[in-house]
C-alpha cells in the first residue's frame, strides 16, 4: 500500500496557519477523495478540509486544538497502491504558494528535533504555533525572549502579526533583556531574583477566573464561543484604532419600494430566489464609491492605500447569533441580477457555515442591513483595515410634503435612514457626509423602469 501525506491546505490569501477544531474521521476509517476529514478554524472562518485522496486514515499527526502552519503534515492516508512510501510531493501540490514556508518549517524541525520539542512546551506553559516558533528560530529569538512578546491572539497567544511587530521594534528589546542580568551582580542574593520574572506572565490570565458568587443574585455563566471571542477582540481593536464619526441621511425610497413590489414575485417565479433590497443598496454604494474613491481605502501606519477593486462586504447573521461578513468581489462590475445572485449565495452559505476564507478576504467597504431586524438606524463599527461602513435602516411609511408644479401636497412616502461610520484619521466630515448623501441620491433616483 502507498502512504500519502495530507497537509494543512492553503485556505486564502494571508492565512498562514489554522487551528484544528475537530477530527471528523478516526484512525482506521475509510474515506473517499474530497470527503471532509477535519474542521479547521482560521482567523477568518471555520471550514472543513477534504481528503486529497481516497483510502484509509492510517495516522492522525495533530491533535484537536493544535495550531498548524499551512503546508505542515496533519495526517497519513493509506491508499491501495503497491509501493510503501510517504511522498511529500502531493502535499506540496495541495497548498500552492505555501510550499516554501512549509519546507523551511519541516527542515528546521528535522535539523533540531529535540530543541523543537522543548520550544513547543515552554516552562511557563504558554503555547506557540509552529509558524511563530519557526519565525523565532530564523530570527534568533530565544524562548526566554519569546516569553516577553505580547500576544493579541486567543488567550494571549502570540500570532504571526505579533512576532513580526516585535521584530520591527526589537532594537531596544535585547538591550532591555540584557540590562537585568547586568544589574543582578550587585549582590549574590539578588542573582536568583531574575527567575520569578516570567511569573508576571500569568497576571494576564488571572482576571479570567472570577467566582460566580462575586456577580451576586441568580446568574448563569455562559462561556463565549470561539467566534464570539474573535468578534469581541476585533470590535475592541477597531474602536481603539479608528476614531469613529457617524453621519446620518434620511432617504425617500418610494420609487425603489414600488419597483421591488412590482418585480419580486416575477423574479421569485423565474429564478426561484428572493429579490431583496440588499443588492440594490450594494449597487448604490458601489456607484458612490466610484464617485468618491478615497472612501475605498485602508491605512497602514502613515500610508493610505487606495483600492482600485470595489469589494463590498455584507454582514450576515448566523443562527448562533454571531455575525460574519463575506465580500462581493468587484461589485461595481455586476448588474442587479448578478448582485442578487451573489447576495443570496453568500447569505445562504453563511447560514450553513459553508463560506470559504476567500469569501471573507479582501473587503474594501462594508454594509450592514440593520433594517432586517426592524431597526431604523445604527452606528456600526468599522471592519479593520477598512475606513468606513454603512448601516441601512428599516423602510417606514411617513407623511411627507410632495412638491408639484401645481403646489405642495401631503402624501404617503417610504423613508429610510442611512448611517455612515468612518475613520476620522483619513475621512473628514465633508467626505463622509457627501458619500452617504450620494448613496441616498442613487436610491432616491432609482429608475422605476429598470428591468432585472
Amino acid at each position: 500500500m502507498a502512504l500519502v501525506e495530507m497537509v494543512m491546505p492553503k485556505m486564502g490569501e494571508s492565512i498562514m496557519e489554522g487551528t484544528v477544531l475537530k477530527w471528523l474521521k478516526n484512525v482506521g476509517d475509510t474515506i473517499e477523495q474530497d470527503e471532509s476529514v477535519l474542521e479547521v478554524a482560521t482567523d477568518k472562518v471555520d471550514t472543513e478540509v477534504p481528503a486529497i485522496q481516497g483510502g484509509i486514515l492510517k495516522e492522525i499527526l495533530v491533535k484537536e486544538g493544535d495550531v498548524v502552519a499551512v503546508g505542515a503534515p496533519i495526517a497519513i492516508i493509506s491508499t491501495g497502491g503497491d509501493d510503501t512510501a510517504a511522498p511529500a510531493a502531493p502535499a506540496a501540490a495541495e497548498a500552492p504558494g505555501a510550499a516554501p514556508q512549509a519546507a523551511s518549517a519541516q527542515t528546521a524541525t528535522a535539523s533540531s528535533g529535540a530543541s523543537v520539542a522543548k520550544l513547543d512546551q515552554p516552562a511557563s506553559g504558554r503555547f506557540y504555533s509552529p509558524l511563530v516558533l519557526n519565525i523565532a528560530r530564523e530570527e534568533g529569538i530565544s524562548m526566554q525572549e519569546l516569553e516577553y512578546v505580547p500576544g493579541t491572539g486567543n488567550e494571549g497567544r502570540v500570532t504571526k502579526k505579533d512576532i513580526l511587530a516585535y521584530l520591527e521594534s526589537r532594537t531596544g528589546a535585547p538591550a532591555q533583556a540584557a540590562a537585568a542580568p547586568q544589574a543582578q551582580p550587585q549582590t549574590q542574593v539578588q542573582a536568583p531574583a531574575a527567575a520569578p520574572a516570567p511569573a508576571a506572565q500569568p497576571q494576564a490570565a488571572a482576571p479570567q477566573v472570577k467566582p460566580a458568587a462575586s456577580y451576586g443574585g441568580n446568574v448563569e455563566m455562559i462561556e463565549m464561543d470561539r467566534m464570539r471571542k474573535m468578534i469581541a477582540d476585533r470590535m475592541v481593536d477597531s474602536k481603539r484604532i479608528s476614531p469613529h464619526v457617524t453621519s446620518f441621511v434620511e432617504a425617500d425610497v418610494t420609487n425603489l419600494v414600488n419597483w421591488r413590489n412590482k418585480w419580486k414575485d416575477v423574479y421569485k417565479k423565474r429564478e426561484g430566489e428572493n429579490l431583496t433590497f440588499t443588492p440594490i443598496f450594494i449597487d448604490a454604494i458601489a456607484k458612490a464609491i466610484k464617485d468618491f474613491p478615497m472612501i475605498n481605502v485602508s491605512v497602514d501606519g502613515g500610508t493610505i492605500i487606495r483600492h482600485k477593486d470595489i469589494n463590498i462586504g455584507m454582514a450576515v447573521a448566523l443562527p448562533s447569533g454571531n455575525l460574519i461578513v463575506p465580500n462581493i468581489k468587484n461589485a461595481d462590475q455586476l448588474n442587479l441580477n448578478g448582485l442578487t445572485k451573489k447576495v443570496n449565495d453568500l447569505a445562504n452559505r453563511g447560514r450553513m457555515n459553508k463560506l470559504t476564507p476567500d469569501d471573507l478576504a479582501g473587503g474594501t467597504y462594508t454594509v450592514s442591513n440593520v433594517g432586517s431586524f426592524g431597526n431604523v438606524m445604527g452606528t456600526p463599527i468599522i471592519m479593520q483595515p477598512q475606513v468606513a461602513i454603512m448601516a441601512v435602516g428599516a423602510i417606514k411609511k411617513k407623511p411627507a410634503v410632495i412638491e408639484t408644479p401645481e403646489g405642495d401636497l401631503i402624501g404617503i412616502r417610504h423613508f429610510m435612514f442611512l448611517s455612515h461610520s468612518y475613520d476620522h484619521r483619513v475621512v473628514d466630515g465633508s467626505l463622509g457626509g457627501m458619500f452617504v448623501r450620494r448613496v441616498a441620491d442613487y436610491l432616491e433616483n432609482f429608475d422605476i423602469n429598470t428591468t432585472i
Side-chain angles (χ1 to χ4, degrees), residues 239-408:
K239 294 293 283 188
R240 176 181 57 81
I241 293 169
S242 299
H244 283 55
V245 177
T246 306
S247 297
F248 304 89
V249 166
E250 189 175 27
D252 182 342
V253 292
T254 305
N255 286 350
L256 174 56
V257 172
N258 290 339
W259 177 86
R260 176 179 174 268
N261 289 339
K262 172 184 175 182
W263 280 94
K264 64 179 182 179
D265 291 337
V266 175
Y267 192 82
K268 177 72 172 180
K269 184 176 180 180
R270 188 185 78 203
E271 304 290 341
E273 299 183 24
N274 293 326
L275 176 60
T276 66
F277 288 110
T278 300
I280 305 172
F281 298 149
I282 291 175
D283 182 57
I285 290 171
K287 290 176 180 176
I289 288 175
K290 283 191 167 184
D291 296 338
F292 297 98
M294 287 306 293
I295 211 75
N296 199 49
V297 304
S298 57
V299 180
D300 183 5
T303 303
I304 298 174
I305 302 169
R306 184 163 71 87
H307 302 285
K308 296 185 178 180
D309 292 333
I310 299 177
N311 303 332
I312 299 181
M314 45 174 270
V316 176
L318 303 178
S320 63
N322 294 322
L323 285 176
I324 198 165
V325 185
N327 298 299
I328 298 177
K329 305 294 195 298
N330 298 308
D332 57 312
Q333 298 178 21
L334 298 174
N335 61 21
L336 203 50
N337 186 46
L339 286 171
T340 301
K341 296 283 187 180
K342 195 66 178 176
V343 165
N344 290 339
D345 172 59
L346 291 175
N348 291 333
R349 287 196 288 121
R351 297 185 186 104
M352 295 186 295
N353 197 29
K354 297 295 184 182
L355 292 172
T356 68
D358 281 336
D359 290 326
L360 307 177
T364 61
Y365 189 92
T366 299
V367 58
S368 178
N369 190 348
V370 299
S372 61
F373 311 115
N375 303 149
V376 295
M377 66 173 67
T379 53
I381 298 176
I382 299 166
M383 290 280 296
Q384 296 296 327
Q386 301 168 26
V387 299
I389 181 174
M390 185 171 295
V392 291
I395 298 174
K396 301 288 186 180
K397 289 182 180 180
K398 292 183 180 181
V401 175
I402 304 172
E403 297 180 356
T404 71
E406 291 76 24
D408 294 344

Side-chain angles (χ1 to χ4, degrees), residues 134-262:
N134 189 43
I135 294 174
R137 280 191 294 268
E138 292 178 351
E139 298 296 335
I141 299 176
S142 66
M143 178 55 70
Q144 183 178 4
E145 185 178 351
L146 195 58
E147 294 283 272
Y148 291 94
V149 177
T152 60
N154 187 26
E155 298 178 353
R157 187 173 289 171
V158 177
T159 65
K160 176 190 174 186
K161 182 179 179 182
D162 295 331
I163 193 168
L164 292 180
Y166 174 75
L167 286 170
E168 290 182 4
S169 60
R170 196 185 178 209
T171 306
Q176 294 171 1
Q182 291 173 0
Q184 291 169 10
Q186 292 176 358
T187 66
Q188 273 188 319
V189 178
Q190 288 182 349
Q201 183 64 30
Q203 290 179 2
Q208 296 177 2
V209 181
K210 209 169 186 180
S214 67
Y215 295 97
N218 186 16
V219 300
E220 179 186 2
M221 308 293 288
I222 302 174
E223 180 72 19
M224 288 187 187
D225 60 25
R226 193 192 67 83
M227 183 174 286
R228 175 48 55 186
K229 288 179 181 177
M230 185 169 62
I231 293 172
D233 290 342
R234 288 182 175 178
M235 294 299 97
V236 171
D237 283 345
S238 184
K239 294 293 283 188
R240 176 181 57 81
I241 293 169
S242 299
H244 283 55
V245 177
T246 306
S247 297
F248 304 89
V249 166
E250 189 175 27
D252 182 342
V253 292
T254 305
N255 286 350
L256 174 56
V257 172
N258 290 339
W259 177 86
R260 176 179 174 268
N261 289 339
K262 172 184 175 182

